[in-house]
Amino acid sequence: EAMGGTVTLRSAPGEGTEFSFTVALEAAAGAAPVREDPFALDGVKVLFADDNPVNRLILSKQLASWKLEAWASDGPAQCWRLLKEAAVTARPFALVILDHWMPEEDGLSLARRIKEDPDFAKTPIILLSSTSVNPPRADFSARLLKPVNPSELYEAVLGALGGACTPSVAEPETAAP
């Protein structure tokens, strides 16, 4: 309130508590201008594979918030089946997002399989990993470390789909020897 804003609280037994606030701020001097979305994401068809149901839920909600048509698969087998099914339709997937560590086949192996298939060779792939990994850069539009920062994922998605920005690729920080 000292900054001219408001704070609200909503609480319901058994549902939890929600806090929110509003405040009018000015851009810092020298800050990059806010850009409009350089690429319309509405309805773009994206497939992602992760064996963890919580990760699938989070990623599904994040992608849907950008109005992408997000399809979730619980692992490589289902991912491959959905890719193949979509290839025979007029609306194949524009982007694939893979978790690196999946039980039956890891994301690196699945990405190689995707890139070797002529139907999908040009489909951009983003790799998500909970550990630092340095797979061949040519195989992926971006490599991001989990937990994924939504703004990094957004930039990576835009970059992979040919937006006017460069994808943010999170590289692991290394300590000086």
Side-chain angles (χ1 to χ4, degrees), residues 45-133:
K45 198 171 173 184
V46 176
L47 174 62
F48 63 94
D50 196 314
D51 60 300
N52 183 304
V54 173
N55 291 346
R56 283 195 309 274
L57 177 64
I58 291 169
L59 191 55
S60 180
K61 286 185 178 202
Q62 187 63 65
L63 296 172
S65 76
W66 300 325
K67 299 186 177 156
L68 290 158
E69 183 183 328
W71 290 58
S73 66
D74 61 9
Q78 185 182 31
C79 181
W80 187 253
R81 183 179 54 75
L82 290 169
L83 273 170
K84 285 297 209 181
E85 288 173 1
V88 298
T89 70
R91 291 195 63 235
F93 291 101
L95 172 66
V96 176
I97 301 174
L98 301 175
D99 179 40
H100 182 186
W101 304 109
M102 293 183 281
E104 12 179 286
E105 178 181 20
D106 69 23
L108 299 178
S109 174
L110 179 57
R112 270 192 300 278
R113 214 165 25 120
I114 291 169
K115 290 299 184 180
E116 289 170 357
D117 188 304
D119 289 335
F120 314 120
K122 294 185 181 188
T123 303
I125 301 172
I126 295 174
L127 180 70
L128 306 180
S129 183
S130 54
T131 61
S132 62
V133 60

